[in-house]
Amino acid sequence: TMSLLGFSNDEGVMLTPKQTELLEKLPDKFTRSEGLEVAVSMNWSTSTYDRFLKKATGTYLYHEYGNYKKAQ
């Protein structure tokens, strides 16, 4: 379905190829700052990374106590 926020399927959020690449490079469990180091190494800005975290959390990532964990 098309929405104002872009394309998403019925499972929820679709990541862009660049976002998928970052997700694959991140460890299974990481803090925001650990993940930011990976993102910066891929030439991401902090704000782009933070938008990715917001988008991916709940579908691709779980967030608790300052840690992010990949959904299995």
Side-chain angles (χ1 to χ4, degrees):
T1 56
M2 285 297 290
S3 74
L4 294 175
L5 300 173
F7 184 77
S8 71
N9 64 10
D10 292 331
E11 279 86 61
V13 180
M14 289 290 287
L15 297 182
T16 66
K18 196 175 173 189
Q19 290 171 333
T20 302
E21 185 187 355
L22 175 60
L23 187 65
E24 286 169 359
K25 288 187 178 183
L26 290 168
D28 286 341
K29 194 175 182 187
F30 60 95
T31 64
R32 179 186 170 275
S33 58
E34 288 166 348
L36 181 59
E37 284 180 32
V38 178
V40 167
S41 77
M42 294 171 61
N43 299 314
W44 285 46
S45 69
T46 304
S47 58
T48 301
Y49 170 69
D50 284 334
R51 282 195 300 273
F52 160 78
L53 286 180
K54 201 176 237 181
K55 180 179 178 181
T57 297
T59 309
Y60 299 94
L61 297 172
Y62 297 114
H63 182 222
E64 56 182 26
Y65 311 118
N67 285 303
Y68 290 88
K69 194 176 158 201
K70 286 186 187 178
Q72 295 305 322

